[in-house]
Amino acid sequence: MPECLFCRIVAKEIPSKTVYEDGEIYAFEDINPQAPVHVLLVPKKHLAHTLDVTEASAPLLGRLVLAANRIARERGVAESGFRLVVNTNREGGQVIFHLHLHLLAGRPMEWPPG
Ligand code: 5GP
Ligand code: ZN
């Protein structure tokens, strides 16, 4: 059994609310949403963070963005706007060390982020 929480969610060992799934991507509702739309998108293959992305896995990042775009359109927030966030390591605010995109939308986002 994998130790990584998001690997276990991908494997359906831990339940989650599925938003989208294909052969290499899994998207699910964040358990503690920070906005009306808060979806997490992860590669099914374990990568700890963006520092693990290689030339070989770089296209996967593009497909994560495409999946996020699709979800944003489905949720009706593409035109109003949304934010994609990828936290990396401690000062980046990363808590779960399995690469993930946060798709946040449904309220005005502030800048600079906290
Ligand atoms: P990070 O700070 O690592 O970028 O974000 C981790 C995110 O994972 C947080 O937004 C947190 O709410 C979410 N999260 C943590 N544990 C679980 C869980 O068991 N299920 C789901 N669906 N989300 C989780
Ligand atoms: Zn993992």
Side-chain angles (χ1 to χ4, degrees), residues 1-17:
M1 182 185 293
E3 293 297 315
C4 169
L5 177 67
F6 285 178
C7 281
R8 296 185 68 189
I9 285 177
V10 166
K12 310 277 171 70
E13 292 170 7
I14 293 174
S16 62
K17 291 186 186 164

Side-chain angles (χ1 to χ4, degrees), residues 34-35 82-85 104-114:
Q34 301 300 310
F82 58 92
R83 182 171 289 179
L84 297 179
V85 174
L104 295 153
R107 64 167 171 80
M109 299 291 153
E110 293 174 8
W111 196 264

Side-chain angles (χ1 to χ4, degrees), residues 45-94:
K45 170 184 148 68
H46 180 91
L47 298 172
H49 39 50
T50 54
L51 295 167
D52 278 356
V53 176
T54 61
E55 286 287 340
S57 55
L60 180 58
L61 266 286
R63 289 195 280 277
L64 284 166
V65 171
L66 290 173
N69 287 346
R70 190 159 46 234
I71 294 164
R73 290 192 182 99
E74 285 170 4
R75 296 285 173 99
V77 296
E79 296 308 318
S80 52
F82 58 92
R83 182 171 289 179
L84 297 179
V85 174
V86 184
N87 298 323
T88 300
N89 276 340
R90 181 174 45 85
E91 289 203 0
Q94 186 172 12

Side-chain angles (χ1 to χ4, degrees), residues 5-6 9 28-32 40 87 93 95-96 100 102:
L5 177 67
F6 285 178
I9 285 177
F28 55 103
E29 303 286 352
D30 196 291
I31 205 166
N32 182 23
L40 301 175
N87 298 323
V95 174
I96 307 292
H100 52 282
H102 296 256

